[in-house]
Amino acid sequence: MIIDTHSHIYVEEFDDDRDEAIMRAKENGVGHLFLPCIDESSLSRMDALCAKYPGYCSQMIGLHPTELGDDWKATLYNMYQLLSANPDKYIAVGEVGLDLYWDKSRQKEQEEVLRTQMEWALKFDKPLMIHCRDAWDELLTVFADYDKSTFRGVFHCFTGTADEAKRLLEYPNFKLGIGGVVTFKKSTLPEALQHVPIDRIVLETDCPYLAPVPHRGKRNESAFLKHVLEKVSQVYNMPCEQVSCIINNSIRDLFGVQFFEM
Ligand SMILES: [Zn+2]
């Protein structure tokens, strides 16, 4: 059994077949889904899914850096109220971070939003699910205000080089989130992973985006995590069962919860 640590299966792309998609995930050995929040509209969708599949889905709370509306201060206020009223409901603060790929003009606001949510992670002792695109220098500049071991969490959707991995692995309580990109033909990620200990990664789909081979270009779903697992097993030259076991232990340590019997 494996855990999809980054599944947006609650979004509208799954409105027609969400139950079937969850069935397929279960049939393909995915034992639990972590749901990263994007914006306020994610919250009721995640609530509904967690109510329907208690024990199978766990939700996060946070404002994604590309989703800063003009009223982002109100959004943060509302999310903070929810988190402080019911901290056990949320397994992590996420997904949060910086994204300068889509919009460089709001870097300062993105940084302020990130810093605010990093403080939530500290206050409520939660891991961070970090989204970072074209902004690693800027992100690590924000992180540099804290000791490297202050936070724990996942650098989600890692697709970089060995040198970039090395830089991130200096944060001892962080894992790299590995997804469908590792299966792409021209991906340099398998090479980079030669320099990443297996206990420093977790697996994710980021569905509906970034479907692995052989589904590349189509809608991704949590069931396809098995293709990521198979590829990662090849890269580390270990049986899938062993990879799953190591990663499940990492997730338990990071999130503080045992999600199923191993
Ligand atoms: Zn995401």
Side-chain angles (χ1 to χ4, degrees):
M1 294 261 257
I2 40 174
I3 298 174
D4 186 354
T5 59
H6 203 107
S7 173
H8 295 284
I9 201 162
Y10 59 86
V11 298
E12 64 181 8
E13 279 87 341
F14 291 97
D15 281 356
D16 290 337
D17 66 340
R18 186 170 294 103
D19 292 328
E20 290 85 347
I22 287 189
M23 192 76 78
R24 288 191 290 272
K26 289 180 175 176
E27 284 165 5
N28 283 280
V30 179
H32 201 95
L33 308 180
F34 291 174
L35 313 175
C37 184
I38 300 169
D39 58 19
E40 273 187 285
S41 75
S42 309
L43 295 165
S44 55
R45 286 178 163 266
M46 293 192 300
D47 278 348
L49 195 57
C50 291
K52 192 162 186 188
Y53 295 97
Y56 190 69
C57 298
S58 300
Q59 57 183 311
M60 308 180 197
I61 191 163
L63 179 59
H64 190 288
T66 64
E67 304 307 315
L68 271 53
D70 294 331
D71 55 350
W72 58 265
K73 284 187 178 161
T75 301
L76 286 185
Y77 177 83
N78 294 341
M79 286 184 173
Y80 180 80
Q81 296 304 318
L82 289 169
L83 177 59
S84 54
N86 202 351
D88 291 343
K89 180 173 170 180
Y90 305 99
I91 49 159
V93 172
E95 57 182 297
V96 301
L98 299 177
D99 191 317
L100 301 179
Y101 176 82
W102 294 107
D103 185 3
K104 284 187 177 39
S105 71
R106 304 187 75 185
Q107 182 183 341
K108 285 286 158 271
E109 286 162 295
Q110 285 191 18
E111 287 179 3
E112 189 178 341
V113 170
L114 171 62
R115 284 177 194 278
T116 300
Q117 297 181 101
M118 286 168 76
E119 290 298 323
W120 300 353
L122 280 186
K123 180 165 183 185
F124 297 101
D125 189 25
K126 299 288 179 192
L128 287 164
M129 179 62 68
I130 296 288
H131 169 104
C132 185
R133 190 164 186 196
D134 285 0
W136 285 111
D137 287 339
E138 293 81 357
L139 185 99
L140 295 184
T141 301
V142 173
F143 269 56
D145 287 348
Y146 302 86
D147 188 87
K148 282 196 167 70
S149 58
T150 304
F151 297 98
R152 66 185 195 280
V154 176
F155 293 118
H156 137 72
C157 197
F158 178 76
T159 58
T161 63
D163 283 344
E164 287 165 332
K166 193 174 163 218
R167 207 171 157 207
L168 298 180
L169 293 178
E170 286 176 15
Y171 293 81
N173 307 320
F174 271 83
K175 315 288 182 192
L176 306 182
I178 305 299
V181 172
V182 76
T183 68
F184 294 178
K185 213 170 183 178
K186 289 182 180 158
S187 173
T188 55
L189 194 48
E191 159 58 23
L193 288 179
Q194 303 295 330
H195 307 274
V196 178
I198 181 102
D199 64 358
R200 299 300 304 277
I201 66 168
V202 297
L203 305 185
E204 61 177 43
T205 59
D206 200 16
C207 68
Y209 314 107
L210 290 171
V213 173
H215 306 284
R216 188 173 180 183
K218 303 200 191 96
R219 184 190 72 173
N220 196 4
E221 60 177 71
S222 289
F224 299 165
L225 192 64
K226 73 167 183 187
H227 302 297
V228 176
L229 173 64
E230 283 162 6
K231 180 68 189 188
V232 165
S233 299
Q234 284 172 21
V235 169
Y236 285 94
N237 198 19
M238 271 181 202
C240 287
E241 297 71 23
Q242 196 182 351
V243 171
S244 310
C245 185
I246 293 167
I247 291 178
N248 288 337
N249 283 331
S250 295
I251 292 172
R252 182 198 57 209
D253 294 345
L254 194 54
F255 291 87
V257 187
Q258 179 92 356
F259 291 94
F260 38 73
E261 289 299 316
M262 285 183 278

